[in-house]
Amino acid sequence: RNGEQLGIICEDNKYDFRLQEVRDMKETLIIKPGDEILVECNFQTLDRSGTTFVSLFFYLQIFHCF
């Protein structure tokens, strides 16, 4: 807000696509006009020899968080 990051809303370093769950917020988060929300998703694919493809449906499910 106003050029400053307010903090991390939620972080899950062990997300399992097969086990999807809802996360309750510890406190109410107020999002004001002009605020930006950054959603970051990392994939570990070093154990694969080929290209990893993901579908639009996959992205829509992952980023349907707010």
Side-chain angles (χ1 to χ4, degrees):
R1 184 170 296 150
N2 297 323
E4 263 188 60
Q5 179 176 337
L6 298 180
I8 295 174
I9 297 171
C10 181
E11 184 174 20
D12 185 351
N13 293 320
K14 303 213 185 291
Y15 178 79
D16 185 343
F17 187 73
R18 298 165 294 177
L19 176 63
Q20 298 182 29
E21 55 190 324
V22 174
R23 298 279 171 36
D24 290 328
M25 306 302 286
K26 293 178 182 174
E27 56 188 55
T28 301
L29 178 68
I30 299 173
I31 301 172
K32 296 183 177 183
D35 285 353
E36 297 177 8
I37 297 174
L38 172 67
V39 177
E40 185 176 297
C41 193
N42 296 300
F43 298 94
Q44 175 58 271
T45 58
L46 294 175
D47 60 338
R48 301 178 185 175
S49 59
T51 303
T52 301
F53 295 97
V54 294
S55 68
L56 177 60
F57 176 75
F58 174 80
Y59 278 111
L60 292 176
Q61 250 189 337
I62 294 270
F63 298 126
H64 186 75
C65 55
F66 296 102

